[in-house]
Amino acid sequence: MKIAGTPYRTIWPAGPGVVRVIDQSRLPFELVTLDLKTLEDAAHAIRTMVVRGAPLIGATAAYGLALALRMDASDQRIEEAASTLRATRPTAVNLAWALERVRGVISPLAAAQRYEAAIREAGDICEADVEQCRSIGMHGLEIIRRLIKPSGRRVNILTHCNAGWLACVDWGTALAPIYMAHNAGIPVHVWVDETRPRNQGASLTAFELGAHGVAHTVIVDNLGGLLMQRGEVDMAIVGSDRATARGDVCNKVGTYLKALAAKDNDVPFYAALPVSTIDWSLEGGSDIEIEERSALEVTEVSGRTAAGAIGKVRIVPDGSAALNLAFDVTPARLVTGIITERGVCEASREGLLSLYPERRLRA
Ligand code: MRU
């Protein structure tokens, strides 16, 4: 996607032993890139959310494993590097998926071949993610087309957190259908949940929609229910960090409440996700580990002052406790459909298996 006319991806190789990423902790106020050269650089970038979003976490972990092997590609080094990366963030299954994919390719090779092979595999993971997101966009576009009104009124879509191209390598998951619709001339407008506490909606989703010229309005997380009651939401699309084999969908905290409101108001509620986000080993969402992050993210808010300084201010009384669980699980019964790179299915074991029949043999 483009920022001010320049095409970008979120991550790309930038020379021997260098992987470049957009530093998302500086957006929307500064567009800055950061070079990752070591395992520690990659682990730090994931842990501190310089990069974030399930598919991008996976892509960065794949490159991080490769970078770890530049000087030492022994079996022991692979094990240590994979376990360091796996511990950076627990909820998005794309991380473990990407590490396993790279390990599967390099483990049978001689040590001297492993670094180059790992870099190639990380690149392949990125290319595949771009294609999968493009396909998700095309499938989701068909759903949006069905919502076009004869009056020509805009199609209002609500989204939570950032599941756009900044969360992936390009295009995004939940936002890909919206970009496709916009590019096709459909008048779409996006209600962007700000997504407390880290405000990925306000900072990142608004930034990337704006950069692409998509009409959008940032709303507080609690407004979606009222907008749905007023008929001002035609559909909701969210991304996911881990979907279970029976179609429960884990995503940024607050997603579940939007799904409940959508159900009560007959608003179609879709989750858009690539195959790397499906955890076939889990049936129910309650088994997913929910990341708990620093309470400071709740007690403090960061932003830019009118004078241009970027900083944090405290909004909670000293001494008040704060709890920061970063994800929640929306049960399949509240999900109208799952949009994947292979098409749209019911949120159920049978629905997912209809798109991924090869998993039936292993189920
Ligand atoms: O904590 P984050 O910013 O990594 O959370 C991101 C989300 O919750 C996204 O909705 C999810 O990863 C889907 S990304 C296409």
Side-chain angles (χ1 to χ4, degrees), residues 21 138 184 206:
V21 296
M138 297 308 291

Side-chain angles (χ1 to χ4, degrees), residues 15-337:
V18 183
V19 176
R20 194 159 290 159
V21 296
I22 294 177
D23 181 348
Q24 301 193 22
S25 67
R26 312 276 287 271
L27 289 173
F29 305 119
E30 294 169 321
L31 178 61
V32 176
T33 60
L34 193 74
D35 286 352
L36 313 179
K37 297 179 180 165
T38 63
L39 163 67
E40 289 69 33
D41 289 347
H44 186 257
I46 299 171
R47 208 180 291 117
T48 59
M49 295 178 67
V50 161
V51 293
R52 29 64 54 201
L56 179 56
I57 290 171
T60 309
Y63 272 120
L65 181 53
L67 293 172
L69 307 182
R70 200 150 184 237
M71 298 303 166
D72 171 6
S74 62
D75 287 352
Q76 192 187 339
R77 178 69 173 158
I78 296 175
E79 284 308 312
E80 285 167 4
S83 90
T84 298
L85 288 161
R86 213 178 296 109
T88 50
R89 293 194 72 189
T91 302
V93 75
N94 306 61
L95 196 161
W97 172 89
L99 291 172
E100 283 320 302
R101 195 170 138 169
V102 176
R103 281 170 59 153
V105 168
I106 63 174
S107 293
L109 302 178
Q113 299 172 325
R114 285 175 171 173
Y115 167 69
E116 291 295 343
I119 288 283
R120 265 197 312 277
E121 189 63 15
D124 288 352
I125 285 173
C126 290
E127 291 308 321
D129 187 69
V130 174
E131 283 317 306
Q132 286 168 349
C133 286
R134 195 192 309 275
S135 296
I136 286 171
M138 297 308 291
H139 294 302
L141 169 60
E142 294 314 309
I143 300 172
I144 296 176
R145 274 195 205 285
R146 295 200 286 272
L147 297 171
I148 296 173
K149 298 160 187 82
S151 65
R153 200 194 87 162
R154 67 189 190 179
V155 179
N156 286 305
I157 302 174
L158 182 140
T159 192
H160 190 71
C161 195
N162 174 260
W165 72 269
L166 288 169
C168 304
V169 178
D170 207 349
W171 284 107
T173 54
L175 296 195
I178 293 169
Y179 288 129
M180 300 278 179
H182 173 85
N183 293 352
I186 298 169
V188 276
H189 166 265
V190 185
W191 296 114
V192 178
D193 284 355
E194 62 175 349
T195 321
R196 281 279 291 147
R198 288 191 64 101
N199 295 317
Q200 292 96 326
S203 310
L204 304 176
T205 300
F207 173 80
E208 62 167 277
L209 289 174
H212 198 74
V214 179
H216 63 280
T217 305
V218 178
I219 55 174
V220 295
D221 290 338
N222 294 327
L223 182 58
L226 175 63
L227 292 176
M228 289 181 196
Q229 287 176 322
R230 288 184 170 180
E232 293 189 51
V233 182
D234 297 306
M235 77 183 291
I237 318 181
V238 298
S240 174
D241 293 81
R242 192 184 294 232
T244 69
R246 72 171 185 211
D248 292 348
V249 172
C250 181
N251 191 50
K252 182 56 56 192
V253 71
T255 301
Y256 170 54
L257 293 178
K258 287 305 138 67
L260 281 172
K263 186 74 165 182
D264 194 45
N265 290 282
D266 292 324
V267 172
F269 184 94
Y270 286 89
L273 53 101
V275 63
S276 51
T277 298
I278 305 171
D279 185 345
W280 298 99
S281 75
L282 293 185
E283 270 302 305
S286 57
D287 293 329
I288 297 173
E289 185 181 352
I290 301 292
E291 177 179 9
E292 181 169 354
R293 299 185 57 84
S294 167
L296 287 174
E297 292 181 353
V298 177
T299 58
E300 295 178 346
V301 175
S302 64
R304 187 175 65 184
T305 66
I310 294 169
K312 290 183 179 170
V313 292
R314 189 174 171 92
I315 56 168
V316 172
D318 291 337
S320 290
L323 176 65
N324 188 9
L325 297 176
F327 297 92
D328 62 22
V329 178
T330 300
R333 67 189 153 76
L334 299 179
V335 179
T336 308

